[in-house]
Amino acid sequence: MPLTGKERRHLRALGHHLEPVVIVGSSGVTEGVIAAVEQALNDHELIKVKINEGPEGRHEGADRIAEATGSELAQLLGRTALFFKRRKEKSRFEDVLKGPHDPRPAPKTDEDKKPRRR
């Protein structure tokens, strides 16, 4: 299921302080890189990947990693990509995907407001 805008924004905030755990070298996105990303996603759920110059561009590389690992691309900023893949059990991000807060109450109508004193 694709992430909503609010979920993506919240994940970007949580991933801001993270350092890249996988670096894509000049060979591009190889099977070894995909295996390393899958392992990191299983361990952390939210990771950063640095995509250096290679045979494919950063957009193509990020899309290929997301497709091969079954993860969601939360952000691509420069050459750094933020990926998210929730674990089936014991996920740290259960509450993140449900929404950060309860919905706001409906605004008061004119009838509910108290009359202003002058």
Side-chain angles (χ1 to χ4, degrees):
M1 177 171 75
L3 297 171
T4 65
K6 283 187 176 185
E7 292 168 345
R8 193 176 306 274
R9 189 169 39 248
H10 192 68
L11 288 172
R12 285 195 317 248
L14 293 174
H16 175 74
H17 72 282
L18 298 177
E19 294 292 322
V21 294
V22 177
I23 299 175
V24 178
S26 61
S27 300
V29 179
T30 62
E31 293 300 319
V33 168
I34 291 172
V37 170
E38 282 181 344
Q39 181 62 47
L41 284 168
N42 288 335
D43 293 342
H44 303 289
E45 295 181 274
L46 184 67
I47 64 166
K48 277 188 180 176
V49 175
K50 177 91 178 213
I51 304 173
N52 290 322
E53 287 288 332
E56 53 196 11
R58 59 192 174 103
H59 293 284
E60 293 85 12
D63 291 340
R64 186 166 168 214
I65 290 172
E67 184 179 327
T69 60
S71 61
E72 292 285 335
L73 179 63
Q75 181 180 31
L76 181 61
L77 185 62
R79 297 205 162 272
T80 304
L82 182 68
F83 293 99
F84 174 72
K85 184 176 180 182
R86 186 172 56 166
R87 284 188 216 121
K88 299 204 185 309
E89 297 176 4
K90 298 183 181 179
S91 175
R92 296 183 328 156
F93 296 94
E94 284 294 326
D95 58 337
V96 171
L97 299 178
K98 290 180 183 174
H101 304 292
D102 291 331
R104 292 183 179 175
K108 294 183 178 181
T109 61
D110 291 335
E111 299 160 357
D112 295 338
K113 294 181 183 177
K114 293 180 182 178
R116 295 176 71 182
R117 294 176 64 188
R118 293 191 183 218

